[in-house]
Amino acid sequence: MTLPRAQDSLGKVEQWRQSFDLGFSEPRAELRAGSADYLAVQVGGRDFALCLKQIAALHPWRGVVSCPSECEPLLGLGDIANVVMPVYALPRLMGLADAASPGWLVVMQAAPCALAFDAFQQFLRLGPEARIHARDPAEGPRHAFEMLQVGVSHRPLIDLSSVLDSIQALIQGPIV
């Protein structure tokens, strides 16, 4: 049995190190191809997706303080990362049944408010071909106008700007 010479081994290790470092210095192929990031979530017992660009933060549910309101989707006020903000039930805003108890919430990028939902399932990075079609707004749940193809299944994509418009219509003004 012959052992590789130390010089050959050091050369190979140096090649691996350079290749490894190069992998972090160049953009990943799927990012260059126009991919987008999504969160796979469950809302009202059904599978959906949220576009990560519309989300400022994702947090586990820790509860809210109830407050009197005529706005039925308002669950109350939550302390999220040391900021007090209104928390709305996403299933109610979409015309779906509520879960027994929310498990997660997202803070919207466009306004200081949070949306509570059943479950966070996974992070998704998908190419532009995954956005397969728009659907008729009269069909299916409110605020989900596009579909994402994830493997062999399809997930409605919730448009958080549409959800925000709905909240502002309910409270008759902007969220401040």
Side-chain angles (χ1 to χ4, degrees):
M1 176 168 120
T2 60
L3 296 175
R5 293 187 310 192
Q7 189 66 22
D8 290 343
S9 294
L10 289 176
K12 187 62 93 178
V13 168
E14 181 61 23
Q15 284 178 337
W16 289 340
R17 187 190 64 75
Q18 287 176 356
S19 176
F20 180 80
D21 290 345
L22 188 61
F24 289 100
S25 67
E26 295 180 352
R28 291 179 25 193
E30 66 264 20
L31 294 178
R32 282 185 264 133
S35 66
D37 296 336
Y38 304 92
L39 298 181
V41 298
Q42 192 171 64
V43 179
R46 296 173 54 184
D47 292 340
F48 289 93
L50 300 170
C51 183
L52 204 54
K53 286 184 178 180
Q54 295 183 314
I55 297 171
L58 170 70
H59 294 278
W61 175 258
R62 295 187 319 163
V64 296
V65 175
S66 297
C67 58
S69 173
E70 293 179 13
C71 181
E72 191 266 333
L74 180 67
L75 295 174
L77 298 175
D79 176 6
I80 303 158
N82 295 322
V83 177
V84 176
M85 64 181 69
V87 178
Y88 295 90
L90 186 54
R92 291 181 199 170
L93 290 164
M94 295 183 67
L96 302 171
D98 279 338
S101 175
W104 291 84
L105 53 85
V106 291
V107 177
M108 298 177 72
Q109 185 75 3
C113 72
L115 303 170
F117 57 94
D118 309 6
F120 164 61
Q121 296 168 318
Q122 66 179 345
F123 169 83
L124 303 168
R125 177 165 287 148
L126 303 171
E129 70 283 354
R131 274 189 145 157
I132 53 173
H133 63 79
R135 67 164 185 78
D136 182 353
E139 300 173 11
R142 287 179 244 153
H143 312 299
F145 310 117
E146 288 187 272
M147 298 290 282
L148 289 180
Q149 184 168 352
V150 182
V152 295
S153 66
H154 296 97
R155 283 181 180 264
L157 177 62
I158 300 170
D159 179 9
L160 293 184
S161 62
S162 173
V163 172
L164 180 59
D165 290 345
S166 176
I167 293 170
Q168 290 174 335
L170 285 169
I171 64 172
Q172 300 175 348
I175 299 171
V176 291

